[in-house]
Amino acid sequence: MAIRSAILSVGATCLLLGTSVHGAFAQNDNHDIIIAAPFAFDNIDSCNSSSEVGLVVRENVVEALTHLNPVTGEPEPRLATSWEQTGSTTWRITLRDGVTFTDGEAFDADAVARSIERMFNPKLDCLNRGKLFANIRLTPEIIDSHTIDISTEKPQPLMPIFMSFLTIESPKTDFDTMTSAPVGTGAYTVPERGPADPIVLVRQDGYWGETPAVSKATYLRRDESALRAAMVEVGEADIGLYIAIQDAIDPEMDFPYLNAETTRLRFSFVGPFADIRVRKAMNLAIDRELLRDGLFNENYMIATQMFLPRINGYNPDMKPWPYDPEQAKKLLDEARADGVDVDSEIPLISRINFYPNGQEAMEAMIEMWKAVGLNIKLQPMERAQWLKLVNKPYAEPRPAMLIQEQHDNNSGDATFTMHFRYHSTGQQSEFGDPKLDELIDAADVASGEERVNLYQEANAYSASEIVPDVMMFHMINYVRISPRLDYHPDALMNTMMELSTIGFR
Amino acid sequence: MGRYFRQRTLQSALSLFGLIVLVFFLARLTGNPADLLLPVDTPQSVRDEFSARHGFDQPMIVQFGRYLIELTQLDMGYSLRDGHPALDHVLAAFPTTLLLSFWAMLISLTIAIVTGSIAAWRPGGLFDRIASLISLAGASVPNFWIAIVGVLIFAVWYRVLPTSGTGTPLHWVLPVAVLFIRPCGVLTQVVRSSMIAALSAPYTKTARARGVRTRTVIFGHALRNAMLPVVTVAGDQAAGMINGAVIAETIFGFPGVGRLLIDSIMFRDFAVIQAAVMVTAIAIFFLNIGIDIIYAILDPRVRHG
């Protein structure tokens, strides 16, 4: 009797708990959504919107002056309705009228000037300043309530693109401290929360644009890709971001998108890598199609340059290196005959957990190089250790090595890539070539078609005459999307996910 | 007894100071936070500016001196990632880990004591063999594997438990299971071997000869004497719970101190690392005091010594 009643009690408890958890699993009938992401989103101040923080706040909470079209990469009006270059270093921007911040403050030229000054406030650890505006000081000058001039020290033809990162926050935002509840002109607000609470965005009435369908978005941090995928599968989340290849197994829910990241191996121009024949041989020895199909998948694009085709300056005429191990051997023999040491062991510096299957790709490439007689050894490093080898000033003497890299260019223009990596003064450049410097310098100050042509020429020259790297792939991310949503990821999704683009079926 | 606890407190305070010194210097040897918090492409000038703003450009000994002065004012610094006080982060996360560990230890001990005691009654018998197999497997299987397989079976296939998160009691089932399985396996083995020794001792043989009931012999006479090594190992397992909590909290999205510590280490958020280690060390100090009290209750030699 006692056993029977115990079983009944346990059964009843399970039923009760089961009922309560069923409630927790149930999909919302309203338009609230849950997004599972691998990020902590520690500091969602709009000043950090060029990082993953942008996924939450950019254009949802705080809007920028312009908006980059994810397909063409062209800037389009957002809080700015028009812009024109009025002098070599000055742009005049006309601001949208009738817009207010969600705290009731008016959006005007004062608010724009204050946001710019706040971004340059040295008391703030502002990622946007470090990433985009470290070498470009913007000086605002208010013309009238809805017109503002922004000046730079040097001509800045990319100002409309830079304006897409200039997110404008309410004038009530603290000037000297970062905020965990940014206030902007977007359709959503961020309610105050405790340190362990998830970030929630709530739709507000009175948004100046079209009212988005999503009424509330909750961002949950889940580190494991398999877990994020499972959450969408069982209905606990609507969107799972950054799903790993091995978990993206449901074509109905898993969608690939080019994530703007490009991978390569960089040569230090030392020892055998000072010889262009060795650098060419290392490219010829790699079967990129085999790598792609074996370790990644057909959605990955074999890269010929460090940014995507939608970026200004992409050269569509450049072709990937062919797989030609015989030619590679021949070039290495020639170098060896001229006294170049191609037989010593050379380290390949990889970064642990850089991207899915990255380590496996390095190991496969090492085997391909071994097949042509090269002796490359994998040396995995943690990020801090790896960074010491990546950025100038380099420790002397710099050894012969290959360095695994991944670079994202979400901005729409080649300058964010070319100067940094291929100009002799670039922070991650390994060489100095006067002709390439000249082309990049000219492109940096040019505009329109001329700018595109100069970057294209610089790209082609670098790839054929210098061979600074072993190009790999334009990378893919997967996002798992619940069937109840009507949503298509785009190439800007690394730093921005506009809730207004999400619909319901 | 009072003298004994005063002595333990002094020893623990010295250990805590040693730990503070070690954590402070070792954490700083692992790299500059500017390299990890700022994007890879950030120019050196901005990195230098960041380091100067947070005092990382100062000699290590100056940084340490400043840290000690702030510590005397109970100021543990602020998080580099969001600017909030480091102690606030730790105190917000700590209850979750504490609760998770409490349930995991409670379940571990209960299962281990019952299973280990019954298994020790007939060593080599069917129950003993099955219990040994399961407990050894539990002590050997990696936590993360149990977590992922648990999600797959109970959340995805059968859908009887949520995949992750907090909210309802069922949200705690998988994280607690991940956390208790390993200590439970270890403790079962300890209880078993300790009970085998206690059950073959002369006083239990006498009790049996006098016709005392089996249940009373096991749980009334032998278990109390067999508990001393179990308490030692249980204390060790409880102190090591933070390791398991890292896995459980990371996978299941529990906002506990294990995950906080790992995040802080990844980003070299020194103030949070230091605060988390210190709060954890203080908790372990109290745990040890608790174990000493249990010892005193169980063993009169300790009580009157």
Side-chain angles (χ1 to χ4, degrees), chain B residues 100 103-104 107-108 138 143 146-147 150 154 161 171-184 241 248 252:
Chain B
L100 206 54
W103 284 113
I107 295 169
S108 293
N143 285 346
I146 298 172
F154 298 106
L161 293 173
H171 282 97
W172 288 73
V173 174
L174 282 174
V176 169
V178 166
L179 214 51
F180 93 76
I181 285 175
R182 180 184 282 263
C184 185
M241 226 19 138
F252 295 108

Side-chain angles (χ1 to χ4, degrees), chain A residues 31 47 80 116 126 133 152 198 228 255 309 335 342 387 402 439:
Chain A
H31 287 175
C47 198
I116 292 172
C126 177
F133 298 100
T152 48
R228 295 192 294 277
F255 298 94
V342 294
L387 266 176
L402 283 152
L439 283 168

